Amino acid sequence: DGGITQSPKYLFRKEGQNVTLSCEQNLNHDAMYWYRQDPGQGLRLIYYSQIVNDFQKGDIAEGYSVSREKKESFPLTVTSAQKNPTAFYLCASSPGRTANTEAFFGQGTRLTVV
Amino acid sequence: LAKTTQPISMDSYEGQEVNITCSHNNIATNDYITWYQQFPSQGPRFIIQGYKTKVTNEVASLFIPADRKSSTLSLPRVSLSDTAVYYCLVVSGSARQLTFGSGTQLTVLP
């Protein structure tokens, strides 16, 4: 059953702690993306990767880090440098070779700082 | 990257046709226009994509004029379950960023 999986669905973090959100896909897609969504707002791009071992900053990369060691995995670490990390985080993947393809999204991780 | 502008919100009634227009004045030659739908607390879902003229699938139609500076998503005979946020994206073949705007909140009323 192909798709993109995010875990966990809900995550609680104490202030000052780093936390890593998982994103795995078995669609054999080259490109993967991380977004942040705040209540009532659109999606903002954090990082994206078009190929293994390469990734680019999006619009709001400060306080976040990623790695792309495997094609199917693109974990996002929310560091203590991120001042307001409470948000809904979405991961997506796409074939990535051309513009005329669709992206597939995971179900999201809701992060709450307590 | 082409910036998109779309209405913040729209209301409609069940059974009506809904048209949501998006402007993208600086669209580039190799860019595609793509629309996504998002329900609360879920990831967006692809609806339709086009390059020019008209594209139709089982859920929507996409109209793109010759100058490609705008596009219109048409949802025929909407139902209450079509209440969602609809995003228009211009996807660049070169940059491959997927940049979402604020979207249009469509509310379908009974």
Side-chain angles (χ1 to χ4, degrees):
Chain A
D1 191 18
I4 182 164
T5 302
Q6 291 186 241
S7 60
K9 189 172 182 179
Y10 299 96
L11 189 57
F12 297 88
R13 186 196 97 173
K14 293 182 179 180
E15 282 193 38
Q17 287 183 336
N18 292 354
V19 64
T20 298
L21 282 59
S22 172
C23 179
E24 303 278 333
Q25 54 99 359
N26 60 4
L27 301 167
N28 199 33
H29 285 170
D30 286 322
M32 296 187 75
Y33 312 83
W34 273 106
Y35 295 90
R36 168 183 173 138
Q37 189 171 36
D38 293 289
Q41 306 296 312
L43 283 70
R44 291 187 289 169
L45 183 63
I46 304 173
Y47 271 98
Y48 64 105
S49 167
Q50 297 192 37
I51 197 168
V52 174
N53 293 322
D54 186 49
F55 47 83
Q56 311 294 329
K57 291 182 179 181
D59 300 319
I60 57 165
E62 186 175 351
Y64 300 97
S65 66
V66 294
S67 63
R68 188 84 188 276
E69 297 176 1
K70 298 186 296 182
K71 187 174 186 178
E72 57 271 22
S73 179
F74 192 40
L76 173 74
T77 296
V78 184
T79 74
S80 56
Q82 171 50 238
K83 297 306 178 188
N84 186 20
T86 294
F88 187 50
Y89 291 87
L90 286 159
C91 179
S93 72
S94 76
R97 296 181 188 88
T98 63
N100 60 331
T101 55
E102 67 178 276
F104 294 82
F105 281 80
Q107 288 302 299
T109 292
R110 191 167 299 279
L111 174 64
T112 303
V113 173
V114 297
Chain B
L1 296 173
K3 179 178 170 59
T4 60
T5 302
Q6 50 184 122
I8 294 173
S9 64
M10 294 181 68
D11 290 343
S12 181
Y13 291 95
E14 280 190 290
Q16 289 189 334
E17 178 184 75
V18 170
N19 296 309
I20 306 174
T21 296
C22 177
S23 67
H24 25 78
N25 291 322
N26 58 339
I27 190 168
T29 302
N30 295 327
D31 292 347
Y32 278 75
I33 299 151
T34 310
W35 286 80
Y36 286 82
Q37 175 193 55
Q38 186 184 27
F39 297 111
S41 298
Q42 294 186 22
R45 183 182 69 170
F46 173 89
I47 301 174
I48 197 166
Q49 184 178 67
Y51 183 79
K52 61 181 178 180
T53 63
K54 177 183 175 182
V55 180
T56 298
N57 62 23
E58 62 275 10
V59 298
S61 295
L62 179 60
F63 299 91
I64 306 168
D67 66 5
R68 304 202 326 125
K69 293 183 183 298
S70 67
S71 59
T72 299
L73 174 72
S74 181
L75 304 172
R77 298 179 298 281
V78 294
S79 64
L80 296 177
S81 62
D82 292 315
T83 293
V85 178
Y86 292 83
Y87 294 97
C88 164
L89 280 72
V90 171
V91 182
S92 166
S94 57
R96 286 304 291 154
Q97 279 184 278
L98 294 180
T99 301
F100 285 73
S102 299
T104 297
Q105 171 67 58
L106 172 65
T107 302
V108 180
L109 305 168

